[in-house]
Amino acid sequence: MKGYCGKILMVDLTSSAFDEIAIPDDIYEHFLSGVGLGAYILYKYLPKGTDPLSPDNVLGFVSGLLTGTGSFMTGRWLAVCKSPLTGGFGDANCGGTFSPAIKQCGYDAIFFKGKAAKPVFLFIDNKGPRLIDALSLWGQDTVETEASIRSIVTSKKRLAIATIGPAGEHQSLIAGISNDGGRMAARSGVGAVMGSKNLKAVVLGGSKLIRTQDPDEIKEISQAYAKKVKSSNLPAITTGAILPILGKSMVATDKAIPIDGMMSTAIMKKWGTGFGNTMGMTMGDAPVKNWKGSIADFPYRKYHHMNPDLIQKHETQKYHCYSCIIGCGGVCDIKGVSKGRFSHTHKPEYETVAAFGSLLLNKDRDAIFLINELLNRGGMDSISAGNTIAFAMECYEKGWLSDEATGGLDLSWGNTAAIVTLVEQMIAAEGFGAVLQNGVKKASEILGLASAPLAMHAGGQEPGMHDPRLDPILGIHFSCDPTPGRHTIGAGSYYNYMRLWESVSWAPKVKLGEDKTEEYEANSNVGLKSMANACIKQVLDGSGGCFFAMLSGFNHFKLFDYLNAATGWNKTPNEYMTIGLRMQTLRQCFNVREGINPRDFKINKRLSGQPPLTEGPLKGKSFKMDEMMGIHYQFMGWDQKTGIPTRAALENLGFCDLEMEDISHG
Amino acid sequence: MANPKKPVIDYEICMACGICAADCPLSCLALRKKNIDSYQNAYPVLDDYYLCNGCTRCEKACPMQAIRMV
Ligand code: SF4
Ligand code: SF4
Ligand code: SF4
């Protein structure tokens, strides 16, 4: 009766054995479910020093504590494993309908260890789990695989299917896992790990009930939140034309404007993440030309093709993840694109539009629709793929790549045809694509040391499409999160929207008109904000919560109240933040145990403005990343110099039955 | 005997969250555009009236109380 199922399934693919493991209440109280439960299991069951692509790696599919409880915006799941991209903790967050399906099978999470002798998929329904031969599916893309499985497996309930495409089968280190026809758990190289286990898909058809402590209270919270979301709308006459103007006005001042989070909800309802396509250009948020250019290189006459209104013209209906009342996704008709090669695609996210638009100076919108579908079907991370191609283009510009090396591809900036070909090659691991298929770090290792400064990554993970020179706290999380390079952990702007200061006693209040320039320096306010970001994101990812619900503000999205109503715990927001701190510290301990030096996760210095840009809205902006990392570590209770959690912090937090490795605490 | 009543959805209240559709053990509810808001949202529709066995799970699951069994 607590919102969670209290057990997980461990599948040994080597021996085809299933083990149901009961998880004591204590573990949920310390780590929640979701990413926290994932970190707990990985720390406990993954042998230290495991090669990420070896059978010993543990791959988990975790749902959220609040998933399926009647709460809204809590239908996200994560894939967790040791990341082959960074060598540390790996996770990838995804929406769709897979998260409730895990719990409807009676588990909070499903884990895999070992390696199947030949390709298999896991099928679970109310009768229990079984492994089914997937040889005939090997080689199919993610959309084809879903269709094939629906024809093979009969089920009364519509199946939820998570699958890899060819990229995962080839163990491309930037491969992800797809569900619902192309919603991707893209990051950390989780698809490569799935491929290395010969696991093609996880197929769920259970229909068990999920019980909670106080279902009426949950409904009340949901209805109050729904009322606000329903009434948060932009005026009907609003068009995408205002977005560049809005962006410009937002950087015109160096003052903080803590806008109510419901404003972000109204924008998400209208456009989804696509609002950033053009707004990000005038703000300087969207990276240009492998992060070295500005709007001067990709001016209005080019970027206006990415106006979300034009993308929305293809949208036939909205797409909501399970339990979502915002609905930022969409289904797009692309029969008119690329000679009708594909009929539909998920509406391209801002991340994909920027990674294959401004980052590469490509203004061809139709090509972005095509690339979006190619990557979703191939099962490859668009953020990582775009950054890697941008790196290759800069090498080409410098004359470091001959036409012979690229297999005759002209990698000049904005050469759309070459970009499309390269994406296809990367997915198929062919031609020059084989050099790029493992992400930017590996590509620069192949091309030689001199190319390393052009490779944008943090510890091997390519950064999301948001510029830390605009928002240095974002840069802290790019460099300090145990899964580095993420744009979804924290930022000064996210902090403003969340309004945590209304519930968490130590979260500093942002006042209207506050000087934003102080965020460029390593001071205690920055440390507190970045710590708050890191902690709350863990609570969110332990609950199955959506990032965009977080941005609607916790004054509206009552995450803590939801958790108490589901579990009957009656914890305070401060106590939940401590749980978040524990989760994040456990993930950091995992990395240190696996031999990672946290300081090595520092993002490429170009992203902290070393040297600063000479044009555009971010002209002259820079900050000292080393110092910023230090202040974050310090507030997290990690050694300020090394980033290793201190012994005192570990003792304070407590880690239940986990035998914490005695890492050389700072 | 299963309850012969079937779900009727009040689309004025419904938030298109899809919880009912994911909860139905027989997946009788499809999510489809209904042209009842300007967002092109997809709403639950009882596609196969006879497939539904009237178990009331969707009704209980709906956080908005937008479903009545009639
Ligand atoms: S806001 Fe978007 S990403 Fe979040 S749950 Fe809704 S559809 Fe999914
Ligand atoms: S009453 Fe039961 S079978 Fe009918 S639609 Fe609702 S959940 Fe499905
Ligand atoms: S659960 Fe209720 S609010 Fe959600 S889609 Fe179904 S009827 Fe609408």
Short mmCIF file of all heavy atoms in Angstrom, two decimals, chain A residues 369-392:
data_model
loop_
_atom_site.label_atom_id
_atom_site.label_comp_id
_atom_site.label_asym_id
_atom_site.label_seq_id
_atom_site.Cartn_x
_atom_site.Cartn_y
_atom_site.Cartn_z
N PHE A 369 13.76 16.63 -39.77
CA PHE A 369 12.70 15.62 -39.60
C PHE A 369 13.23 14.23 -39.96
O PHE A 369 13.00 13.25 -39.26
CB PHE A 369 11.50 15.94 -40.51
CG PHE A 369 10.53 16.93 -39.93
CD1 PHE A 369 10.30 18.15 -40.57
CD2 PHE A 369 9.84 16.65 -38.77
CE1 PHE A 369 9.39 19.07 -40.04
CE2 PHE A 369 8.92 17.57 -38.23
CZ PHE A 369 8.71 18.78 -38.87
N LEU A 370 13.95 14.16 -41.08
CA LEU A 370 14.47 12.87 -41.53
C LEU A 370 15.50 12.32 -40.54
O LEU A 370 15.43 11.15 -40.13
CB LEU A 370 15.11 13.03 -42.93
CG LEU A 370 15.82 11.81 -43.49
CD1 LEU A 370 14.84 10.64 -43.69
CD2 LEU A 370 16.52 12.13 -44.82
N ILE A 371 16.44 13.17 -40.14
CA ILE A 371 17.49 12.73 -39.21
C ILE A 371 16.87 12.28 -37.89
O ILE A 371 17.29 11.28 -37.29
CB ILE A 371 18.50 13.88 -38.98
CG1 ILE A 371 19.34 14.10 -40.25
CG2 ILE A 371 19.40 13.60 -37.79
CD1 ILE A 371 20.10 15.42 -40.27
N ASN A 372 15.86 13.02 -37.44
CA ASN A 372 15.17 12.67 -36.20
C ASN A 372 14.64 11.23 -36.27
O ASN A 372 14.84 10.42 -35.36
CB ASN A 372 14.01 13.66 -36.00
CG ASN A 372 13.32 13.53 -34.66
OD1 ASN A 372 13.95 13.65 -33.63
ND2 ASN A 372 12.03 13.26 -34.67
N GLU A 373 14.00 10.92 -37.39
CA GLU A 373 13.42 9.58 -37.51
C GLU A 373 14.52 8.53 -37.71
O GLU A 373 14.43 7.42 -37.16
CB GLU A 373 12.41 9.56 -38.68
CG GLU A 373 11.61 8.27 -38.83
CD GLU A 373 10.74 7.90 -37.62
OE1 GLU A 373 10.60 8.72 -36.69
OE2 GLU A 373 10.23 6.76 -37.60
N LEU A 374 15.57 8.88 -38.45
CA LEU A 374 16.68 7.93 -38.63
C LEU A 374 17.31 7.57 -37.28
O LEU A 374 17.57 6.39 -37.00
CB LEU A 374 17.76 8.53 -39.54
CG LEU A 374 17.45 8.62 -41.04
CD1 LEU A 374 18.52 9.44 -41.75
CD2 LEU A 374 17.33 7.23 -41.67
N LEU A 375 17.52 8.58 -36.45
CA LEU A 375 18.16 8.33 -35.16
C LEU A 375 17.22 7.57 -34.21
O LEU A 375 17.66 6.68 -33.49
CB LEU A 375 18.61 9.65 -34.51
CG LEU A 375 19.81 10.32 -35.19
CD1 LEU A 375 19.98 11.75 -34.68
CD2 LEU A 375 21.09 9.53 -34.96
N ASN A 376 15.94 7.93 -34.22
CA ASN A 376 14.99 7.21 -33.36
C ASN A 376 14.90 5.74 -33.76
O ASN A 376 14.83 4.85 -32.92
CB ASN A 376 13.61 7.86 -33.43
CG ASN A 376 13.56 9.20 -32.71
OD1 ASN A 376 14.51 9.58 -32.03
ND2 ASN A 376 12.48 9.92 -32.88
N ARG A 377 14.87 5.51 -35.06
CA ARG A 377 14.78 4.12 -35.53
C ARG A 377 16.10 3.38 -35.35
O ARG A 377 16.12 2.21 -34.98
CB ARG A 377 14.39 4.09 -37.02
CG ARG A 377 12.93 4.40 -37.26
CD ARG A 377 12.63 4.51 -38.74
NE ARG A 377 11.21 4.63 -38.99
CZ ARG A 377 10.41 3.62 -39.36
NH1 ARG A 377 10.91 2.41 -39.57
NH2 ARG A 377 9.13 3.81 -39.56
N GLY A 378 17.20 4.08 -35.61
CA GLY A 378 18.51 3.44 -35.44
C GLY A 378 18.83 3.23 -33.97
O GLY A 378 19.65 2.39 -33.61
N GLY A 379 18.17 4.03 -33.11
CA GLY A 379 18.43 3.92 -31.68
C GLY A 379 19.72 4.60 -31.29
O GLY A 379 20.59 4.01 -30.64
N MET A 380 19.86 5.88 -31.69
CA MET A 380 21.09 6.61 -31.37
C MET A 380 20.74 7.97 -30.78
O MET A 380 19.76 8.60 -31.17
CB MET A 380 21.94 6.76 -32.63
CG MET A 380 23.30 7.39 -32.38
SD MET A 380 24.33 7.45 -33.86
CE MET A 380 25.18 5.88 -33.78
N ASP A 381 21.57 8.42 -29.84
CA ASP A 381 21.39 9.68 -29.14
C ASP A 381 21.64 10.86 -30.09
O ASP A 381 22.75 11.00 -30.62
CB ASP A 381 22.39 9.70 -27.96
CG ASP A 381 22.31 10.97 -27.14
OD1 ASP A 381 21.54 11.88 -27.49
OD2 ASP A 381 23.04 11.04 -26.12
N SER A 382 20.65 11.73 -30.26
CA SER A 382 20.82 12.83 -31.20
C SER A 382 21.79 13.89 -30.67
O SER A 382 22.51 14.52 -31.43
CB SER A 382 19.47 13.47 -31.55
OG SER A 382 18.86 14.01 -30.41
N ILE A 383 21.81 14.09 -29.35
CA ILE A 383 22.73 15.09 -28.78
C ILE A 383 24.17 14.67 -29.04
O ILE A 383 25.00 15.43 -29.52
CB ILE A 383 22.50 15.25 -27.26
CG1 ILE A 383 21.12 15.84 -26.99
CG2 ILE A 383 23.59 16.10 -26.63
CD1 ILE A 383 20.75 15.91 -25.50
N SER A 384 24.46 13.41 -28.74
CA SER A 384 25.83 12.92 -28.92
C SER A 384 26.20 12.88 -30.40
O SER A 384 27.31 13.26 -30.78
CB SER A 384 25.97 11.52 -28.31
OG SER A 384 25.87 11.60 -26.91
N ALA A 385 25.27 12.43 -31.23
CA ALA A 385 25.55 12.32 -32.67
C ALA A 385 25.84 13.70 -33.25
O ALA A 385 26.80 13.89 -34.01
CB ALA A 385 24.39 11.65 -33.39
N GLY A 386 25.03 14.71 -32.88
CA GLY A 386 25.23 16.06 -33.41
C GLY A 386 26.56 16.64 -32.98
O GLY A 386 27.30 17.20 -33.80
N ASN A 387 26.89 16.50 -31.69
CA ASN A 387 28.18 17.01 -31.21
C ASN A 387 29.35 16.33 -31.92
O ASN A 387 30.37 16.96 -32.19
CB ASN A 387 28.31 16.75 -29.70
CG ASN A 387 27.72 17.86 -28.84
OD1 ASN A 387 28.11 19.02 -28.96
ND2 ASN A 387 26.78 17.51 -27.98
N THR A 388 29.20 15.05 -32.21
CA THR A 388 30.30 14.30 -32.83
C THR A 388 30.50 14.74 -34.29
O THR A 388 31.63 14.91 -34.75
CB THR A 388 30.04 12.79 -32.73
OG1 THR A 388 29.74 12.47 -31.37
CG2 THR A 388 31.25 11.99 -33.17
N ILE A 389 29.39 14.98 -34.98
CA ILE A 389 29.50 15.46 -36.36
C ILE A 389 30.06 16.89 -36.38
O ILE A 389 30.88 17.24 -37.23
CB ILE A 389 28.14 15.36 -37.08
CG1 ILE A 389 27.73 13.88 -37.22
CG2 ILE A 389 28.19 16.02 -38.46
CD1 ILE A 389 26.36 13.65 -37.82
N ALA A 390 29.65 17.70 -35.40
CA ALA A 390 30.18 19.07 -35.31
C ALA A 390 31.70 19.05 -35.15
O ALA A 390 32.43 19.83 -35.76
CB ALA A 390 29.54 19.81 -34.14
N PHE A 391 32.16 18.12 -34.33
CA PHE A 391 33.61 17.94 -34.13
C PHE A 391 34.28 17.60 -35.46
O PHE A 391 35.30 18.19 -35.84
CB PHE A 391 33.81 16.83 -33.09
CG PHE A 391 35.15 16.17 -33.14
CD1 PHE A 391 36.26 16.75 -32.55
CD2 PHE A 391 35.31 14.94 -33.77
CE1 PHE A 391 37.50 16.13 -32.60
CE2 PHE A 391 36.53 14.31 -33.82
CZ PHE A 391 37.65 14.91 -33.23
N ALA A 392 33.68 16.65 -36.20
CA ALA A 392 34.27 16.24 -37.48
C ALA A 392 34.30 17.42 -38.46
O ALA A 392 35.27 17.61 -39.20
CB ALA A 392 33.48 15.07 -38.07
#
